[in-house]
Amino acid sequence: MPTELLFRDDAYLKTATARVAAVRDGQVELDRTIFYPLGGGQPGDTGILVRENGERIAIVDTRKGETPGSVAHLVAAGSTLPETGESVSLEIDWPRRYAVMRLHTALHVMSCVVIAPVTGGNIAPDKARLDFDIDMTLLDAGKIEHGTNELIARGVATDSVWITDEELDARPELVKTMSVQPPRGAGRIRLLRIPDIDLQPCGGTHVANIAEIGGIRVVRIRNEGKRNKRVEIVLAG
Ligand SMILES: [Zn+2]
């Protein structure tokens, strides 16, 4: 059964209630969730499920489920499992997720400072990186940091826009990330828009205004192969 993705409409939901749809192999499926499942370079959320009797079940990771559109909440080994049909309260580890949202949105901004095809990327709660197909001599940590922070200082609001598969096919320049093709098949694709800065397909969670990023620091630039020049960043404060 597809899980209703509450974070899609509101990335700031820290708590919610849901009903247990299925339990199997230490994984809990819910009818709806605020837990983001690993994908697009963004890690799965962690947090807790609180049962009606008050019992707290730690969620150590979130993944896409076996059936299309479903989300699997992974419980800690040895913990008790809820019953199918039971209603539960959800709480995500918000400081961790918010750090991920800030870094994720920062990568969107940085991808508009380094003008090159993106060949990879990853986000962790404490750091994030993008890989570019570019000559190493064109990557200057100070310039990337300054350019990204200058855009962040514009403090513009982000939003989501939806386009059809056909509209995306007509605008291939929107797809900067060669390693992560936008999800297709549902007939429409979500884009993150940072007005006058960036517009690209993305299903992750982002901050509502890029001012929330604060600023970034480039901590490392490394040659990871012919088409992978890696730029790693952390939040400045
Ligand atoms: Zn994104």
Side-chain angles (χ1 to χ4, degrees):
M1 195 179 86
T3 309
E4 187 186 348
L5 307 177
L6 300 173
F7 55 80
R8 229 353 85 90
D9 291 324
D10 185 356
Y12 288 78
L13 287 174
K14 302 168 187 70
T15 61
T17 56
R19 199 165 288 279
V20 176
V23 180
R24 63 171 87 89
D25 304 331
Q27 303 186 359
V28 179
E29 281 182 26
L30 305 166
D31 62 346
R32 54 196 217 135
T33 193
I34 51 177
F35 285 76
Y36 179 84
L38 171 75
Q42 183 175 331
D45 279 325
T46 59
I48 55 168
L49 299 188
V50 185
R51 303 182 71 183
E52 277 170 329
N53 66 8
E55 197 176 347
R56 295 161 75 86
I57 301 171
I59 301 299
V60 294
D61 199 359
T62 308
R63 301 288 175 90
K64 288 179 178 135
E66 280 173 27
T67 52
S70 73
V71 173
H73 304 78
L74 280 57
V75 304
S79 57
T80 53
L81 293 163
E83 306 279 339
T84 300
E86 184 177 338
S87 119
V88 288
S89 302
L90 321 180
E91 295 175 20
I92 56 169
D93 180 340
W94 176 249
R96 178 180 181 275
R97 155 74 91 70
Y98 190 52
V100 165
M101 282 165 52
R102 292 168 69 202
L103 281 165
H104 183 146
T105 313
L107 290 186
H108 280 269
V109 176
M110 189 176 78
S111 77
C112 299
V113 173
V114 180
I115 307 302
V118 176
T119 50
N122 194 62
I123 304 149
D126 61 340
K127 63 183 178 194
R129 62 168 169 85
L130 282 180
D131 295 347
F132 298 96
D133 185 359
I134 194 173
D135 195 296
M136 273 299 268
T137 58
L138 297 173
L139 293 175
D140 179 300
K143 277 186 188 155
I144 296 169
E145 190 172 296
H146 181 73
T148 303
N149 287 333
E150 221 169 42
L151 291 177
I152 289 169
R154 289 191 195 170
V156 297
T158 68
D159 64 358
S160 294
V161 290
W162 293 86
I163 60 171
T164 63
D165 289 356
E166 294 73 33
E167 285 169 323
L168 184 66
D169 288 337
R171 297 182 65 188
E173 76 280 5
L174 288 176
V175 183
K176 275 186 227 168
T177 308
M178 297 156 72
S179 63
V180 183
Q181 284 297 313
R184 284 172 182 274
R188 55 183 211 146
I189 289 159
R190 181 170 174 262
L191 307 178
L192 176 77
R193 177 167 56 190
I194 308 176
D196 299 324
I197 297 175
D198 190 33
L199 176 68
Q200 64 178 293
C202 191
T205 59
H206 310 93
V207 292
N209 188 302
I210 60 171
E212 293 174 54
I213 301 167
I216 59 111
R217 277 195 303 120
V218 174
V219 288
R220 188 155 64 174
I221 294 181
R222 209 166 58 180
N223 189 341
E224 290 283 330
K226 195 166 181 293
R227 303 182 71 194
N228 290 66
K229 311 299 184 237
R230 179 163 299 174
V231 181
E232 193 170 279
I233 62 167
V234 298
L235 294 170

